[in-house]
């Protein structure tokens, strides 16, 4: 009877496994023996990741088996993203590079070309012709922030009124002289020292560089998925992790973040950025999502790419945070007036960000998601964050943006230390965590646009200034909500 019972259990398990793959063209996962026990959840996902790394045909079947073998539904997306990211990353790390041929090899050869001191005289000589839209009088090699040749001189009358034609003529002339393709930017001359008066006439210089091939590669996708998996895991265990509670987690033990609304806010921000970049001539790249031991996720860092103009660079930088602002406001309004029926319990007092401290300790899930969305968008627009720095650069210039970013990168954590001394230790955690994320994952300086001749419209400037001020006030590491009671 015992043998019959064991046989029945084995046949039942086999029938459930066959039913899971019924009607599918995927291969069933191989089993060591007919009598082996089903693998545990961790072993199942590890086996799926290993099959993905080995490019096995039965990898989808292993993923499917691990998915249905995970009883905790909230753990499935995080485990899936982590397994796929780990498998793809391991595959890219171990696979030898494919040999390039034809146009791909030529593009790779061009991308590896570096402008050196020997190209300076040739590039300057190519533009010393009266009939060209620009006559070069000086040229020098520049290494940072972008590598290339900076040339000063005089523009012909009307050359700056037809920018596409001027840039095309200069690129063709220099490329013919050097023997390989180059890209030309028209950048504004920034005077060091005292700020020039408003009546000072603006001048521009020609910047020559080797065009960079910007493509959407598998490595950046794998890194983005891996960072998303880390954020999902951090958010899922925020109310159950002792480490997060010790680091100042905002949720009470036993509470869970509303992952679906937060994921929707991240998707809205990236979709807005993708659409803005595609319509304005920039390139969108997968973001690196940023985890937080206090609130689970702090948004995403999108690699900055060169835009056609300062206005387009400003629009791309603001698109994601402003879209997240709007979606967060909608979530808060719906959660306040209608309610989602789901609630989370917060620590009291909430010593991390002053707007979040205004929320009730028993808070509607959508209201919390909207407030966290405001925080994520605000952190993205701080002057030492990539999007905030691009916005300041578009408004005030590259030199001013660099100085302001340097000041804020030190002043923001120092201000949080003062707040921690006055109001409690947890007020310093998030600014220092953000500073660590910026140091390790953000680019040093954003690329300059294709041309800095076109002025940013007044309306766009007003929106940008208001967004930067609001973001700074929202992310200010001090309990501003208590100032009225002093």
């Amino acid at each position: 009877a015992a043998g019959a019972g064991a046989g029945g259990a084995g046949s039942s398990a086999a029938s459930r496994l066959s039913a899971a793959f019924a009607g599918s063209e995927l291969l069933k996962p191989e089993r060591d023996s007919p009598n082996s026990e089903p693998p545990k959840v961790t072993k199942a996902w590890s086996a799926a990741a290993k099959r993905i790394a080995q490019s096995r045909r039965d990898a989808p079947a292993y993923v499917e088996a691990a998915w249905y073998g995970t009883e905790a539904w909230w753990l499935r997306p995080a485990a899936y993203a982590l397994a796929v990211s780990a498998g793809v990353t391991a595959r890219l790390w171990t696979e030898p590079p494919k040999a390039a041929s034809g146009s791909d090899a030529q593009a790779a050869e061009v991308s590896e070309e570096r402008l050196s001191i020997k190209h300076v005289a040739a590039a300057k000589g190519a533009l010393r012709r009266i009939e060209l839209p620009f006559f070069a009088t000086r040229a020098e090699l520049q290494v940072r922030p972008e590598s290339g040749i900076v040339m000063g001189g005089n523009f012909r009358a009307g050359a700056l009124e037809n920018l596409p034609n001027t840039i095309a003529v200069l690129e063709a002339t220099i490329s013919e002289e050097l023997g390989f393709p180059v890209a030309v930017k028209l950048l504004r001359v920034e005077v060091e020292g005292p700020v020039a008066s408003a009546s000072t006439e603006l001048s521009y210089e020609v910047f020559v560089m080797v065009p960079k091939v910007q493509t959407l590669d598998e490595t950046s996708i794998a890194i983005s998925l891996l960072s998303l998996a880390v954020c999902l895991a951090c958010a899922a265990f925020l109310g159950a992790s002792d480490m997060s509670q010790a680091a100042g987690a905002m949720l009470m033990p036993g509470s869970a973040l509303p992952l679906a609304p937060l994921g929707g806010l991240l998707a809205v921000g990236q979709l807005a950025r993708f659409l803005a970049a595609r319509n304005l001539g920039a390139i969108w790249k997968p973001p690196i999502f940023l985890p937080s031991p206090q609130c689970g996720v702090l948004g995403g860092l999108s690699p900055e790419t060169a835009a056609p103009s300062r206005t387009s660079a400003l629009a791309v930088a603001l698109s994601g945070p402003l879209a997240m602002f709007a979606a967060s406001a909608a979530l808060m309004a719906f959660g306040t007036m209608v309610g989602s029926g789901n609630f989370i319990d917060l620590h009291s007092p909430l010593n991390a960000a002053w707007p979040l401290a205004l929320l009730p300790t028993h808070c509607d899930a959508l209201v919390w998601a909207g407030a966290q969305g405001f925080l994520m968008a605000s952190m993205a627009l701080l002057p030492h964050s990539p999007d905030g720095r691009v916005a300041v650069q578009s408004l005030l210039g590259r030199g001013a943006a660099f100085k302001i970013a340097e000041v804020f990168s030190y002043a923001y954590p120092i201000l949080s230390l003062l707040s921690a001394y006055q109001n409690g230790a947890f007020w310093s955690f998030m600014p220092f965590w953000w500073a660590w994320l910026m140091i390790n994952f953000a680019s040093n300086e954003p690329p300059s646009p294709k041309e800095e001749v076109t002025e940013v419209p007044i309306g766009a400037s007003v929106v940008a200034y208001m967004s930067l001020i609001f973001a700074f006030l929202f992310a200010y590491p001090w309990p501003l909500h208590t100032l009225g009671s002093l």
Side-chain angles (χ1 to χ4, degrees):
S11 61
S12 176
S15 63
R16 287 198 302 269
L17 182 64
S18 300
F21 296 95
S24 175
E25 297 181 359
L26 303 177
L27 300 179
K28 297 180 179 179
E30 301 172 359
R31 305 183 70 89
D32 298 334
S33 64
N35 296 326
S36 61
E37 295 182 357
K40 296 181 179 179
V41 174
T42 54
K43 292 183 179 180
W45 286 111
S46 300
K50 184 181 297 185
R51 261 64 181 185
I52 295 174
Q54 296 173 349
S55 299
R56 295 277 295 271
R57 292 181 57 196
D58 57 352
Y62 273 83
V63 173
E64 187 176 354
W67 179 277
Y68 287 107
T70 305
E71 296 182 1
W73 61 269
W74 51 268
L75 187 59
R76 290 177 178 177
Y80 174 81
L82 183 60
V84 173
S85 302
V88 174
T89 303
R91 183 196 305 174
L92 295 175
W93 187 267
T94 55
E95 281 186 354
K98 298 181 180 179
S101 60
S103 58
D104 294 337
Q106 184 179 2
E109 182 181 355
V110 170
S111 64
E112 293 177 358
E113 184 71 36
R114 292 292 183 270
L115 293 175
S116 61
I117 193 66
K118 66 180 181 180
H119 299 119
V120 175
K124 178 182 176 183
L127 298 186
R128 292 183 64 84
R129 291 156 52 185
I130 300 298
E131 67 274 12
L132 294 176
F134 175 81
F135 186 87
T137 58
R138 63 173 177 86
E140 58 184 357
L141 188 66
Q142 175 181 288
V143 178
R144 295 188 61 185
E146 295 178 284
S147 177
I149 301 174
V150 179
M151 290 191 288
N154 303 310
F155 285 90
R156 288 179 56 188
L160 297 179
E161 298 176 2
N162 190 0
L163 295 177
N165 180 71
T166 299
I167 293 176
V169 170
L170 296 180
E171 287 179 342
T173 304
I174 301 175
S175 298
E176 182 180 359
E177 180 67 25
L178 299 183
F180 54 85
V182 297
V184 168
K185 294 183 177 182
L186 303 183
L187 303 182
R188 182 171 297 181
V189 177
E190 297 185 348
V191 181
E192 296 291 338
V195 180
S197 61
S199 59
T200 303
E201 184 178 356
L202 298 175
S203 58
Y204 304 92
E205 57 191 7
V206 172
F207 181 72
V208 183
M209 60 182 295
V210 175
K212 299 179 180 179
V213 181
Q214 298 179 346
T215 57
L216 188 62
D217 57 291
E218 293 181 350
T219 303
S220 60
I221 297 176
I223 294 176
S224 181
L225 290 175
L226 182 60
S227 65
L228 179 60
V230 173
C231 288
L232 289 175
C234 186
F237 293 102
L238 188 65
S241 172
D242 294 336
M243 182 181 299
S244 297
Q245 294 295 321
M250 302 180 187
L251 269 65
M252 291 285 289
S255 295
L257 285 177
L259 296 182
L262 291 177
L265 291 177
L266 295 176
V268 167
Q270 290 304 316
L271 178 61
R273 188 181 186 88
F274 169 78
L275 294 177
R278 187 183 67 173
N279 293 331
L280 296 174
I283 297 177
W284 176 87
K285 288 188 175 182
I288 297 178
F289 296 97
L290 306 175
S292 169
Q294 288 186 300
C295 59
V297 59
L298 275 179
L301 288 181
S302 297
E304 303 293 340
T305 58
S309 64
R310 292 190 300 148
T311 303
S312 58
L314 179 63
V316 173
L318 294 179
S319 59
L322 291 185
M324 189 175 292
F325 271 132
S328 300
L331 286 179
M332 290 195 70
F334 185 87
T336 302
M337 295 184 295
V338 180
S340 64
N342 298 321
F343 294 88
I344 58 176
D345 295 321
L346 306 175
H347 283 285
S348 180
L350 200 58
N351 297 331
W354 69 267
L356 302 182
L358 298 175
L359 300 176
T361 55
H362 190 61
C363 181
D364 186 88
L366 292 184
V367 174
W368 167 262
Q372 187 171 347
F374 280 133
L375 179 63
M376 292 189 292
S378 299
M379 301 293 284
L381 288 181
L382 290 176
H384 60 296
S385 302
D387 286 338
R389 185 165 179 173
V390 171
V392 175
Q393 176 176 294
S394 301
L395 296 171
L396 303 177
R398 287 168 279 117
F402 175 80
K403 295 176 182 178
I404 294 175
E406 285 291 302
V407 171
F408 264 83
S409 62
Y410 294 102
Y412 193 60
I414 292 176
L415 184 61
S416 70
L417 285 179
L418 298 177
S419 180
Y421 176 78
Q422 183 71 23
N423 307 297
F426 289 148
W427 284 97
S428 65
F429 281 15
M430 185 171 294
F432 271 90
W433 179 255
W434 186 257
W436 184 85
L437 292 174
M438 294 300 101
I439 292 173
N440 289 276
F441 299 106
S443 57
N444 293 329
E445 295 187 41
S448 56
K450 186 74 172 177
E451 56 90 4
E452 293 181 337
V453 179
T454 306
E455 294 290 343
V456 177
I458 297 179
S461 299
V462 172
V463 172
Y465 279 118
M466 292 180 61
S467 301
L468 293 174
I469 294 173
F470 179 83
F472 174 71
L473 292 177
F474 202 102
Y476 194 76
W478 198 279
L480 298 181
H481 61 290
T482 63
L483 295 181
S485 59
L486 296 180

